[in-house]
Amino acid sequence: MDWDTMISYLPLYKDALLLTLKTGWQGVLLAFMIGVLCAVITHLKVPVLRQITGIYIELFRNTPLLVQLFFLYFALPKIGIRISAQLCGSLGLGLLGGAYMTETFRSGLENIAPIQSASAQSLGMNGLQTFRYVILPQAVSSSVPGLLANVIFLLKETSVFSTISLMDLMFTAKDLIGMYAKTIECLTLLVIFYLIMLLPVSILGSIIERRLRHAEFGN
Amino acid sequence: MPNLGIDVLFKGTNFLRLLEGLWVAVRISLISVAISIALGLVMGMLMTSKNKILKMILRLYLEIVRIMPQMVLLFVVYFGTTRVFGWNLSAEYSAIIVFSFWGVAEMGDLVRGALISIPKIQYESAQALGMTQPMTYLYVILPQAVRRLIPLSINLITRMIKTTSLVMMIGIVEVLKVAQQIIEANRRTSPNAVFGVFAVVFLLYFLICWPISKLAGYLEKRWA
């Protein structure tokens, strides 16, 4: 182990970490929005849109992110759609994550007992109020464990970004190995930086999960 | 309608090569799944054991696998361990090692979930009938747990197939790599091939994974 080399690499890894985090969180945020939207569409059984959502989910859940990114980054320019690598990363991650998030939210919505909406109705709430104040809060809290698992999964998947020449952690490690052949040092740093990125999310996840259990009632 | 270069695939043996590449990916994942299921069953049973230290070690193993991207694990095994221990490891073996390492943890967790979902009374009744512990597992617990496990392990297969797309990064020539080769070879004659070929690869993955995940969903509903 060559400690001096490792220390001299640190700034490069730090930049890569920041880039990974930035692109990753944009992707996660997009995934979250797509997920809520699509889950509501499926839950309310909106015609046409529902079928489109279904196709989208099946397509993106059953193909690897790597292939999706290649398609977005290398293939789309041929039909005139040109997007930067970074946007491509966020977009690809968002689309992949959206498909997973939809499933999570949907099962959250489905798990709410029918008595909840019946009670809300008997209290004189209209459909929108029931959805906004009764169904959605419970659905969100019951889908939190799934959501957090998805977030970790998505942040993990960012390692694929290196293939579309985004300077993320993986890319930096590969680049440094290629240039200086300090394989062990580079890979050790790589593992450490992924731990720095994902361990807090994982720990935070279990804390939030415990907290949100209180929001459940009526079953 | 511009030429989208799908015709490139029908030149010579291009399409056949693509399918061969796909087979490489599927083969790696099937071997890894077989290993994962066999060892995962053992791991799951160990995870339900009462030994605190053993439980903690397995928990740590699971968390590491959950947190580390598979790509990092591939690099560590293929470039890292070969450097540290000085052995020779082919890319395909490294891939199988990594996917099994990952699969055993995931499978173990699924098995653990299935085992603890079986009511305690089943264990107690088996014991009351004078069954030994291996007998209890073999004749009472596992037959019930397997029902829950089959859909979940089928899902694991699709996840593995999807993740095998990463092995091109350590130099295995699988479907994505073949696609790149075809695109590069025809760069001059049909510059738009990149669209058609990647679209076909996208569809190929979908056509493999979709039926498998549908089957898993169907079994899950039926056996729930």
Side-chain angles (χ1 to χ4, degrees):
Chain A
M1 238 6 146
D2 184 350
W3 297 104
D4 291 339
T5 323
M6 278 172 81
I7 290 166
S8 70
Y9 287 163
L10 277 178
L12 289 170
Y13 273 88
K14 196 202 77 200
D15 290 346
L17 178 72
L18 290 180
L19 183 86
T20 311
L21 272 179
K22 196 174 140 219
T23 325
W25 280 111
Q26 281 169 354
V28 168
L29 212 64
L30 183 66
F32 195 79
M33 291 190 289
I34 295 177
V36 172
L37 189 71
C38 291
V40 170
I41 288 173
T42 345
H43 186 69
L44 298 179
K45 299 201 170 64
V46 183
V48 188
L49 280 182
R50 185 172 142 226
Q51 276 80 10
I52 296 174
T53 318
I55 294 171
Y56 155 68
I57 291 172
E58 293 296 343
L59 264 182
F60 278 81
R61 275 180 68 104
N62 288 303
T63 45
L65 179 63
L66 188 56
V67 177
Q68 292 163 14
L69 283 182
F70 270 26
F71 191 77
L72 285 176
Y73 190 65
F74 296 115
L76 283 189
K78 295 291 170 199
I79 54 167
I81 304 167
R82 207 172 285 276
I83 33 183
S84 73
Q86 205 174 341
L87 187 62
C88 216
S90 311
L91 199 64
L93 199 66
L95 286 172
L96 172 84
Y100 282 87
M101 295 282 192
T102 306
E103 288 292 294
T104 314
F105 279 128
R106 198 183 49 80
S107 69
L109 284 171
E110 272 173 10
N111 280 339
I112 293 161
I115 197 168
Q116 296 278 335
S117 46
S119 318
Q121 214 176 1
S122 72
L123 285 172
M125 286 176 155
N126 64 29
L128 198 67
Q129 283 172 328
T130 309
F131 193 74
R132 165 71 185 81
Y133 296 107
V134 179
I135 308 294
L136 206 59
Q138 294 189 66
V140 169
S141 86
S142 79
S143 45
V144 160
L147 289 182
L148 287 167
N150 282 347
V151 169
I152 292 177
F153 161 73
L154 288 176
L155 287 180
K156 251 169 79 173
E157 288 282 298
T158 55
S159 58
V160 175
F161 287 170
S162 59
T163 53
I164 54 167
S165 49
L166 209 67
M167 301 263 282
D168 76 333
L169 286 170
M170 204 69 220
F171 188 93
T172 307
K174 231 166 37 181
D175 213 31
L176 287 173
I177 292 173
M179 279 196 290
Y180 306 112
K182 300 266 185 204
T183 315
I184 299 159
E185 287 81 1
C186 287
L187 289 176
T188 312
L189 277 175
L190 183 66
V191 169
I192 293 173
F193 270 81
Y194 267 109
L195 283 179
I196 293 177
M197 179 163 91
L198 289 166
L199 212 53
V201 184
S202 160
I203 293 169
L204 189 76
S206 48
I207 296 172
I208 293 178
E209 201 178 313
R210 238 173 296 152
R211 283 263 168 118
L212 272 170
R213 289 259 166 81
H214 296 296
E216 282 170 29
F217 52 85
N219 46 8
Chain B
M1 182 83 186
N3 175 21
L4 291 179
I6 296 185
D7 52 304
V8 169
L9 284 173
F10 300 103
K11 281 186 197 151
T13 54
N14 280 352
F15 198 67
L16 209 65
R17 281 179 58 206
L18 213 55
L19 289 182
E20 270 169 27
L22 199 61
W23 170 239
V24 172
V26 173
R27 187 178 63 208
I28 291 176
S29 50
L30 286 183
I31 295 174
S32 315
V33 166
I35 297 173
S36 306
I37 289 178
L39 294 181
L41 280 173
V42 179
M43 162 119 177
M45 284 186 221
L46 291 179
M47 279 175 100
T48 54
S49 85
K50 293 203 174 62
N51 189 336
K52 278 238 167 77
I53 298 167
L54 183 69
K55 252 174 136 169
M56 218 167 75
I57 294 171
L58 292 176
R59 182 91 213 147
L60 196 69
Y61 164 44
L62 181 67
E63 285 300 318
I64 289 172
V65 173
R66 285 257 163 94
I67 284 183
M68 272 302 127
Q70 281 86 29
M71 184 107 96
V72 175
L73 293 176
L74 279 174
F75 267 62
V76 167
V77 170
Y78 187 59
F79 297 116
T81 63
T82 44
R83 192 78 184 253
V84 174
F85 303 115
W87 57 38
N88 257 328
L89 208 57
S90 78
E92 203 166 326
Y93 279 129
S94 320
I96 291 173
I97 291 173
V98 167
F99 288 133
S100 308
F101 182 74
W102 167 51
V104 170
E106 291 281 346
M107 196 66 208
D109 198 40
L110 297 179
V111 172
R112 185 191 61 92
L115 286 181
I116 55 174
S117 75
I118 287 165
K120 215 174 155 197
I121 196 166
Q122 299 275 343
Y123 293 89
E124 289 166 354
S125 315
Q127 213 174 6
L129 288 171
M131 286 177 154
T132 59
Q133 208 181 6
M135 275 167 85
T136 313
Y137 270 109
L138 196 60
Y139 298 115
V140 181
I141 308 302
L142 278 183
Q144 299 182 65
V146 159
R147 230 162 200 262
R148 277 166 210 270
L149 274 176
I150 286 176
L152 297 173
S153 30
I154 293 175
N155 255 335
L156 193 65
I157 299 178
T158 64
R159 284 173 63 197
M160 288 250 177
I161 293 176
K162 282 187 287 177
T163 318
T164 48
S165 59
L166 300 182
V167 299
M168 78 173 247
M169 300 300 294
I170 57 168
I172 296 178
V173 182
E174 46 72 76
V175 57
L176 214 50
K177 193 77 203 168
V178 176
Q180 278 182 334
Q181 289 171 348
I182 293 173
I183 291 162
E184 290 303 327
N186 297 285
R187 171 90 58 208
R188 267 160 188 278
T189 48
S190 57
N192 282 335
V194 64
F195 187 88
V197 175
F198 277 145
V200 168
V201 171
F202 192 94
L203 273 181
L204 279 178
Y205 266 109
F206 177 72
L207 287 178
I208 292 234
C209 294
W210 189 60
I212 303 179
S213 54
K214 276 277 148 200
L215 176 72
Y218 170 76
L219 289 179
E220 206 167 342
K221 251 189 211 126
R222 211 173 136 192
W223 287 348

